[in-house]
Structure formats: C-alpha cells, structure tokens
PDB file of all heavy atoms in Angstrom:
ATOM      1  N   LEU Q   1      21.535 -19.034  41.043  1.00  0.00           N
ATOM      2  CA  LEU Q   1      22.138 -18.482  39.827  1.00  0.00           C
ATOM      3  C   LEU Q   1      22.717 -19.573  38.941  1.00  0.00           C
ATOM      4  O   LEU Q   1      22.626 -19.500  37.709  1.00  0.00           O
ATOM      5  CB  LEU Q   1      23.222 -17.469  40.192  1.00  0.00           C
ATOM      6  CG  LEU Q   1      22.746 -16.069  40.550  1.00  0.00           C
ATOM      7  CD1 LEU Q   1      23.914 -15.197  40.967  1.00  0.00           C
ATOM      8  CD2 LEU Q   1      22.015 -15.428  39.396  1.00  0.00           C
ATOM      9  N   ARG Q   2      23.313 -20.584  39.537  1.00  0.00           N
ATOM     10  CA  ARG Q   2      23.869 -21.682  38.736  1.00  0.00           C
ATOM     11  C   ARG Q   2      22.766 -22.399  37.960  1.00  0.00           C
ATOM     12  O   ARG Q   2      22.961 -22.806  36.808  1.00  0.00           O
ATOM     13  CB  ARG Q   2      24.623 -22.672  39.626  1.00  0.00           C
ATOM     14  CG  ARG Q   2      25.956 -22.153  40.147  1.00  0.00           C
ATOM     15  CD  ARG Q   2      26.798 -23.258  40.736  1.00  0.00           C
ATOM     16  NE  ARG Q   2      26.202 -23.881  41.910  1.00  0.00           N
ATOM     17  CZ  ARG Q   2      26.379 -23.450  43.161  1.00  0.00           C
ATOM     18  NH1 ARG Q   2      27.144 -22.392  43.392  1.00  0.00           N
ATOM     19  NH2 ARG Q   2      25.816 -24.074  44.180  1.00  0.00           N
ATOM     20  N   GLU Q   3      21.597 -22.554  38.588  1.00  0.00           N
ATOM     21  CA  GLU Q   3      20.476 -23.218  37.909  1.00  0.00           C
ATOM     22  C   GLU Q   3      19.912 -22.350  36.783  1.00  0.00           C
ATOM     23  O   GLU Q   3      19.498 -22.863  35.739  1.00  0.00           O
ATOM     24  CB  GLU Q   3      19.393 -23.569  38.931  1.00  0.00           C
ATOM     25  CG  GLU Q   3      19.849 -24.636  39.917  1.00  0.00           C
ATOM     26  CD  GLU Q   3      18.812 -24.949  40.991  1.00  0.00           C
ATOM     27  OE1 GLU Q   3      17.760 -24.274  41.024  1.00  0.00           O
ATOM     28  OE2 GLU Q   3      19.052 -25.863  41.806  1.00  0.00           O
ATOM     29  N   ILE Q   4      19.893 -21.039  36.985  1.00  0.00           N
ATOM     30  CA  ILE Q   4      19.476 -20.114  35.921  1.00  0.00           C
ATOM     31  C   ILE Q   4      20.489 -20.155  34.775  1.00  0.00           C
ATOM     32  O   ILE Q   4      20.128 -20.169  33.590  1.00  0.00           O
ATOM     33  CB  ILE Q   4      19.352 -18.677  36.466  1.00  0.00           C
ATOM     34  CG1 ILE Q   4      18.231 -18.573  37.499  1.00  0.00           C
ATOM     35  CG2 ILE Q   4      19.131 -17.675  35.324  1.00  0.00           C
ATOM     36  CD1 ILE Q   4      18.196 -17.242  38.244  1.00  0.00           C
ATOM     37  N   GLU Q   5      21.773 -20.185  35.133  1.00  0.00           N
ATOM     38  CA  GLU Q   5      22.852 -20.109  34.149  1.00  0.00           C
ATOM     39  C   GLU Q   5      22.844 -21.288  33.182  1.00  0.00           C
ATOM     40  O   GLU Q   5      23.233 -21.149  32.020  1.00  0.00           O
ATOM     41  CB  GLU Q   5      24.202 -20.024  34.872  1.00  0.00           C
ATOM     42  CG  GLU Q   5      25.360 -19.657  33.962  1.00  0.00           C
ATOM     43  CD  GLU Q   5      26.667 -19.512  34.725  1.00  0.00           C
ATOM     44  OE1 GLU Q   5      26.757 -19.995  35.882  1.00  0.00           O
ATOM     45  OE2 GLU Q   5      27.611 -18.924  34.165  1.00  0.00           O
ATOM     46  N   VAL Q   6      22.354 -22.426  33.641  1.00  0.00           N
ATOM     47  CA  VAL Q   6      22.244 -23.593  32.754  1.00  0.00           C
ATOM     48  C   VAL Q   6      21.417 -23.237  31.526  1.00  0.00           C
ATOM     49  O   VAL Q   6      21.775 -23.556  30.383  1.00  0.00           O
ATOM     50  CB  VAL Q   6      21.613 -24.795  33.509  1.00  0.00           C
ATOM     51  CG1 VAL Q   6      21.264 -25.917  32.532  1.00  0.00           C
ATOM     52  CG2 VAL Q   6      22.557 -25.303  34.587  1.00  0.00           C
ATOM     53  N   GLY Q   7      20.299 -22.586  31.746  1.00  0.00           N
ATOM     54  CA  GLY Q   7      19.437 -22.187  30.641  1.00  0.00           C
ATOM     55  C   GLY Q   7      20.037 -21.068  29.811  1.00  0.00           C
ATOM     56  O   GLY Q   7      19.912 -21.053  28.575  1.00  0.00           O
ATOM     57  N   ILE Q   8      20.695 -20.104  30.466  1.00  0.00           N
ATOM     58  CA  ILE Q   8      21.310 -18.991  29.738  1.00  0.00           C
ATOM     59  C   ILE Q   8      22.327 -19.504  28.730  1.00  0.00           C
ATOM     60  O   ILE Q   8      22.343 -19.086  27.563  1.00  0.00           O
ATOM     61  CB  ILE Q   8      21.977 -18.007  30.731  1.00  0.00           C
ATOM     62  CG1 ILE Q   8      20.924 -17.290  31.574  1.00  0.00           C
ATOM     63  CG2 ILE Q   8      22.830 -16.983  29.967  1.00  0.00           C
ATOM     64  CD1 ILE Q   8      21.516 -16.398  32.655  1.00  0.00           C
ATOM     65  N   LYS Q   9      23.189 -20.429  29.160  1.00  0.00           N
ATOM     66  CA  LYS Q   9      24.270 -20.928  28.295  1.00  0.00           C
ATOM     67  C   LYS Q   9      23.740 -21.637  27.059  1.00  0.00           C
ATOM     68  O   LYS Q   9      24.408 -21.663  26.022  1.00  0.00           O
ATOM     69  CB  LYS Q   9      25.180 -21.866  29.091  1.00  0.00           C
ATOM     70  CG  LYS Q   9      26.067 -21.145  30.097  1.00  0.00           C
ATOM     71  CD  LYS Q   9      26.962 -22.121  30.835  1.00  0.00           C
ATOM     72  CE  LYS Q   9      27.930 -21.396  31.752  1.00  0.00           C
ATOM     73  NZ  LYS Q   9      28.800 -22.346  32.499  1.00  0.00           N
ATOM     74  N   GLU Q  10      22.523 -22.188  27.140  1.00  0.00           N
ATOM     75  CA  GLU Q  10      21.955 -22.901  25.996  1.00  0.00           C
ATOM     76  C   GLU Q  10      21.613 -21.961  24.845  1.00  0.00           C
ATOM     77  O   GLU Q  10      21.605 -22.378  23.678  1.00  0.00           O
ATOM     78  CB  GLU Q  10      20.690 -23.655  26.418  1.00  0.00           C
ATOM     79  CG  GLU Q  10      20.946 -24.835  27.339  1.00  0.00           C
ATOM     80  CD  GLU Q  10      19.657 -25.532  27.736  1.00  0.00           C
ATOM     81  OE1 GLU Q  10      18.639 -25.319  27.052  1.00  0.00           O
ATOM     82  OE2 GLU Q  10      19.654 -26.272  28.736  1.00  0.00           O
ATOM     83  N   LYS Q  11      21.313 -20.683  25.152  1.00  0.00           N
ATOM     84  CA  LYS Q  11      20.804 -19.783  24.124  1.00  0.00           C
ATOM     85  C   LYS Q  11      21.605 -18.488  23.956  1.00  0.00           C
ATOM     86  O   LYS Q  11      21.321 -17.712  23.055  1.00  0.00           O
ATOM     87  CB  LYS Q  11      19.350 -19.401  24.451  1.00  0.00           C
ATOM     88  CG  LYS Q  11      18.355 -20.554  24.343  1.00  0.00           C
ATOM     89  CD  LYS Q  11      18.140 -20.962  22.893  1.00  0.00           C
ATOM     90  CE  LYS Q  11      17.084 -22.042  22.777  1.00  0.00           C
ATOM     91  NZ  LYS Q  11      16.857 -22.409  21.345  1.00  0.00           N
ATOM     92  N   ILE Q  12      22.597 -18.243  24.789  1.00  0.00           N
ATOM     93  CA  ILE Q  12      23.247 -16.936  24.789  1.00  0.00           C
ATOM     94  C   ILE Q  12      24.131 -16.710  23.570  1.00  0.00           C
ATOM     95  O   ILE Q  12      24.284 -15.578  23.103  1.00  0.00           O
ATOM     96  CB  ILE Q  12      24.037 -16.716  26.100  1.00  0.00           C
ATOM     97  CG1 ILE Q  12      24.341 -15.231  26.303  1.00  0.00           C
ATOM     98  CG2 ILE Q  12      25.299 -17.559  26.114  1.00  0.00           C
ATOM     99  CD1 ILE Q  12      23.157 -14.371  26.595  1.00  0.00           C
ATOM    100  N   GLY Q  13      24.704 -17.768  23.022  1.00  0.00           N
ATOM    101  CA  GLY Q  13      25.558 -17.618  21.840  1.00  0.00           C
ATOM    102  C   GLY Q  13      26.708 -16.670  22.106  1.00  0.00           C
ATOM    103  O   GLY Q  13      27.424 -16.804  23.105  1.00  0.00           O
ATOM    104  N   ASN Q  14      26.860 -15.673  21.230  1.00  0.00           N
ATOM    105  CA  ASN Q  14      27.954 -14.706  21.372  1.00  0.00           C
ATOM    106  C   ASN Q  14      27.541 -13.451  22.140  1.00  0.00           C
ATOM    107  O   ASN Q  14      28.322 -12.511  22.246  1.00  0.00           O
ATOM    108  CB  ASN Q  14      28.470 -14.304  19.981  1.00  0.00           C
ATOM    109  CG  ASN Q  14      29.104 -15.474  19.253  1.00  0.00           C
ATOM    110  OD1 ASN Q  14      29.780 -16.300  19.864  1.00  0.00           O
ATOM    111  ND2 ASN Q  14      28.873 -15.548  17.942  1.00  0.00           N
ATOM    112  N   LYS Q  15      26.317 -13.455  22.645  1.00  0.00           N
ATOM    113  CA  LYS Q  15      25.848 -12.287  23.393  1.00  0.00           C
ATOM    114  C   LYS Q  15      26.465 -12.259  24.801  1.00  0.00           C
ATOM    115  O   LYS Q  15      26.992 -13.262  25.286  1.00  0.00           O
ATOM    116  CB  LYS Q  15      24.323 -12.296  23.469  1.00  0.00           C
ATOM    117  CG  LYS Q  15      23.654 -12.089  22.115  1.00  0.00           C
ATOM    118  CD  LYS Q  15      22.152 -12.011  22.213  1.00  0.00           C
ATOM    119  CE  LYS Q  15      21.480 -13.332  22.450  1.00  0.00           C
ATOM    120  NZ  LYS Q  15      20.009 -13.283  22.319  1.00  0.00           N
ATOM    121  N   ILE Q  16      26.341 -11.134  25.440  1.00  0.00           N
ATOM    122  CA  ILE Q  16      26.961 -10.927  26.758  1.00  0.00           C
ATOM    123  C   ILE Q  16      25.999 -11.339  27.873  1.00  0.00           C
ATOM    124  O   ILE Q  16      24.805 -11.053  27.817  1.00  0.00           O
ATOM    125  CB  ILE Q  16      27.334  -9.448  26.941  1.00  0.00           C
ATOM    126  CG1 ILE Q  16      28.370  -9.027  25.902  1.00  0.00           C
ATOM    127  CG2 ILE Q  16      27.843  -9.169  28.360  1.00  0.00           C
ATOM    128  CD1 ILE Q  16      28.602  -7.521  25.857  1.00  0.00           C
ATOM    129  N   TYR Q  17      26.538 -12.015  28.884  1.00  0.00           N
ATOM    130  CA  TYR Q  17      25.750 -12.234  30.103  1.00  0.00           C
ATOM    131  C   TYR Q  17      26.671 -12.192  31.305  1.00  0.00           C
ATOM    132  O   TYR Q  17      27.866 -12.476  31.209  1.00  0.00           O
ATOM    133  CB  TYR Q  17      24.979 -13.553  30.037  1.00  0.00           C
ATOM    134  CG  TYR Q  17      25.732 -14.782  30.501  1.00  0.00           C
ATOM    135  CD1 TYR Q  17      25.657 -15.226  31.828  1.00  0.00           C
ATOM    136  CD2 TYR Q  17      26.523 -15.498  29.606  1.00  0.00           C
ATOM    137  CE1 TYR Q  17      26.339 -16.349  32.245  1.00  0.00           C
ATOM    138  CE2 TYR Q  17      27.210 -16.631  30.022  1.00  0.00           C
ATOM    139  CZ  TYR Q  17      27.127 -17.056  31.338  1.00  0.00           C
ATOM    140  OH  TYR Q  17      27.803 -18.172  31.761  1.00  0.00           O
ATOM    141  N   GLU Q  18      26.117 -11.813  32.439  1.00  0.00           N
ATOM    142  CA  GLU Q  18      26.850 -11.788  33.704  1.00  0.00           C
ATOM    143  C   GLU Q  18      25.957 -12.345  34.798  1.00  0.00           C
ATOM    144  O   GLU Q  18      24.730 -12.229  34.730  1.00  0.00           O
ATOM    145  CB  GLU Q  18      27.273 -10.358  34.069  1.00  0.00           C
ATOM    146  CG  GLU Q  18      28.202  -9.700  33.075  1.00  0.00           C
ATOM    147  CD  GLU Q  18      28.614  -8.296  33.516  1.00  0.00           C
ATOM    148  OE1 GLU Q  18      28.845  -8.091  34.731  1.00  0.00           O
ATOM    149  OE2 GLU Q  18      28.695  -7.411  32.645  1.00  0.00           O
ATOM    150  N   CYS Q  19      26.561 -12.939  35.801  1.00  0.00           N
ATOM    151  CA  CYS Q  19      25.852 -13.385  37.000  1.00  0.00           C
ATOM    152  C   CYS Q  19      26.363 -12.560  38.174  1.00  0.00           C
ATOM    153  O   CYS Q  19      27.545 -12.655  38.535  1.00  0.00           O
ATOM    154  CB  CYS Q  19      26.080 -14.877  37.253  1.00  0.00           C
ATOM    155  SG  CYS Q  19      25.315 -15.960  36.032  1.00  0.00           S
ATOM    156  N   ILE Q  20      25.491 -11.749  38.745  1.00  0.00           N
ATOM    157  CA  ILE Q  20      25.864 -10.864  39.851  1.00  0.00           C
ATOM    158  C   ILE Q  20      24.891 -11.109  40.995  1.00  0.00           C
ATOM    159  O   ILE Q  20      23.737 -10.661  40.935  1.00  0.00           O
ATOM    160  CB  ILE Q  20      25.823  -9.384  39.405  1.00  0.00           C
ATOM    161  CG1 ILE Q  20      26.715  -9.159  38.181  1.00  0.00           C
ATOM    162  CG2 ILE Q  20      26.218  -8.473  40.562  1.00  0.00           C
ATOM    163  CD1 ILE Q  20      26.645  -7.748  37.601  1.00  0.00           C
ATOM    164  N   PRO Q  21      25.289 -11.840  42.036  1.00  0.00           N
ATOM    165  CA  PRO Q  21      24.344 -12.201  43.110  1.00  0.00           C
ATOM    166  C   PRO Q  21      23.702 -11.009  43.809  1.00  0.00           C
ATOM    167  O   PRO Q  21      22.538 -11.061  44.196  1.00  0.00           O
ATOM    168  CB  PRO Q  21      25.223 -13.001  44.086  1.00  0.00           C
ATOM    169  CG  PRO Q  21      26.373 -13.481  43.265  1.00  0.00           C
ATOM    170  CD  PRO Q  21      26.612 -12.413  42.241  1.00  0.00           C
ATOM    171  N   ASP Q  22      24.455  -9.917  43.988  1.00  0.00           N
ATOM    172  CA  ASP Q  22      23.932  -8.736  44.670  1.00  0.00           C
ATOM    173  C   ASP Q  22      23.014  -7.970  43.717  1.00  0.00           C
ATOM    174  O   ASP Q  22      23.464  -7.432  42.697  1.00  0.00           O
ATOM    175  CB  ASP Q  22      25.099  -7.856  45.107  1.00  0.00           C
ATOM    176  CG  ASP Q  22      24.651  -6.664  45.938  1.00  0.00           C
ATOM    177  OD1 ASP Q  22      23.945  -5.791  45.366  1.00  0.00           O
ATOM    178  OD2 ASP Q  22      24.985  -6.578  47.131  1.00  0.00           O
ATOM    179  N   ARG Q  23      21.712  -7.906  44.037  1.00  0.00           N
ATOM    180  CA  ARG Q  23      20.747  -7.297  43.119  1.00  0.00           C
ATOM    181  C   ARG Q  23      21.037  -5.814  42.893  1.00  0.00           C
ATOM    182  O   ARG Q  23      20.879  -5.305  41.781  1.00  0.00           O
ATOM    183  CB  ARG Q  23      19.317  -7.495  43.647  1.00  0.00           C
ATOM    184  CG  ARG Q  23      18.231  -7.149  42.631  1.00  0.00           C
ATOM    185  CD  ARG Q  23      16.847  -7.517  43.128  1.00  0.00           C
ATOM    186  NE  ARG Q  23      15.800  -7.203  42.158  1.00  0.00           N
ATOM    187  CZ  ARG Q  23      15.322  -8.040  41.241  1.00  0.00           C
ATOM    188  NH1 ARG Q  23      15.815  -9.272  41.169  1.00  0.00           N
ATOM    189  NH2 ARG Q  23      14.371  -7.662  40.407  1.00  0.00           N
ATOM    190  N   ARG Q  24      21.448  -5.124  43.924  1.00  0.00           N
ATOM    191  CA  ARG Q  24      21.766  -3.704  43.775  1.00  0.00           C
ATOM    192  C   ARG Q  24      22.931  -3.525  42.802  1.00  0.00           C
ATOM    193  O   ARG Q  24      22.869  -2.670  41.901  1.00  0.00           O
ATOM    194  CB  ARG Q  24      22.112  -3.111  45.136  1.00  0.00           C
ATOM    195  CG  ARG Q  24      22.388  -1.606  45.114  1.00  0.00           C
ATOM    196  CD  ARG Q  24      22.629  -1.073  46.540  1.00  0.00           C
ATOM    197  NE  ARG Q  24      22.771   0.374  46.548  1.00  0.00           N
ATOM    198  CZ  ARG Q  24      23.905   1.010  46.297  1.00  0.00           C
ATOM    199  NH1 ARG Q  24      25.006   0.308  46.031  1.00  0.00           N
ATOM    200  NH2 ARG Q  24      23.952   2.323  46.308  1.00  0.00           N
TER     201      ARG Q  24
END
C-alpha cells in the first residue's frame, strides 16, 4: 500500500483517498 500511495499522492490533489489493508 505504501508503494501504491506514492503514485496516488502525485495526482490526487484535493480529492479523497483512503488506504484500507483489509479488502472486505
């Protein structure tokens, strides 16, 4: 998730994102 989050932070701007390890 930390490796995915690197890319998310580059483009997310003011939009919402969450990292939730449990898929369910």
Side-chain angles (χ1 to χ4, degrees):
L1 279 177
R2 287 193 296 272
E3 293 177 356
I4 295 171
E5 192 177 17
V6 170
I8 292 175
K9 287 181 175 179
E10 291 179 18
K11 292 290 184 179
I12 198 69
N14 295 322
K15 293 184 285 190
I16 297 170
Y17 87 92
E18 298 182 39
C19 292
I20 304 175
D22 185 294
R23 192 173 181 92
R24 183 176 185 276

